[in-house]
Amino acid sequence: RWKSAGCDGAKQAASFGCQDQIGGLRGVTCNCETQAEIDELWARLFAGGEEMQCGWLKDKYGVSWQIVPSAWEKIIQGAPPEKSERAMKALLKMKKIDMETLRKASA
């Protein structure tokens, strides 16, 4: 299940800079295809953990995860500057990422 969600334990999640170091790793990024997949992973990992900004959470063991849509780059980075800025403003208000809210903000 984790592999299909695009979780990569070897990748540094430097996008928004998790402040906690885990053996030299900043965190684990999971790219999800659907909102349902984001919701499922979030629920499983968040149990007993702590929500943070921009799709970050810390599980009950203290491991930091960033659960993001696979369309992340297209929505945030691939859009014209004014649309990207609106999407970033929406993202900064979120803990768990809502893909539809990001799409509407970048429209």
Side-chain angles (χ1 to χ4, degrees):
R1 184 72 180 156
W2 297 104
K3 188 173 181 180
S4 69
C7 296
D8 184 356
K11 183 188 294 183
Q12 286 193 356
S15 304
F16 295 98
C18 178
Q19 299 303 312
D20 298 318
Q21 293 286 324
I22 307 164
L25 185 68
R26 291 179 181 262
V28 181
T29 300
C30 296
N31 294 300
C32 299
E33 295 297 321
T34 66
Q35 185 67 47
E37 197 170 43
I38 289 171
D39 295 345
E40 179 184 351
L41 283 174
W42 192 271
R44 288 180 181 202
L45 292 169
F46 175 63
E50 173 189 356
E51 291 182 305
M52 296 180 281
Q53 188 178 21
C54 301
W56 283 100
L57 65 84
K58 191 176 288 190
D59 68 21
K60 65 183 177 182
Y61 303 106
V63 177
S64 295
W65 300 81
Q66 189 179 34
I67 313 301
V68 297
S70 57
W72 177 263
E73 288 185 22
K74 183 178 179 183
I75 295 170
I76 300 291
Q77 298 170 349
E82 65 280 354
K83 292 181 178 185
S84 179
E85 186 176 332
R86 287 194 307 265
M88 281 300 298
K89 285 181 180 179
L91 176 67
L92 291 171
K93 295 177 184 176
M94 295 180 194
K95 291 189 179 188
K96 179 176 73 173
I97 293 176
D98 182 297
M99 291 172 61
E100 186 60 26
T101 300
L102 285 181
R103 283 192 187 105
K104 285 179 181 177
S106 67

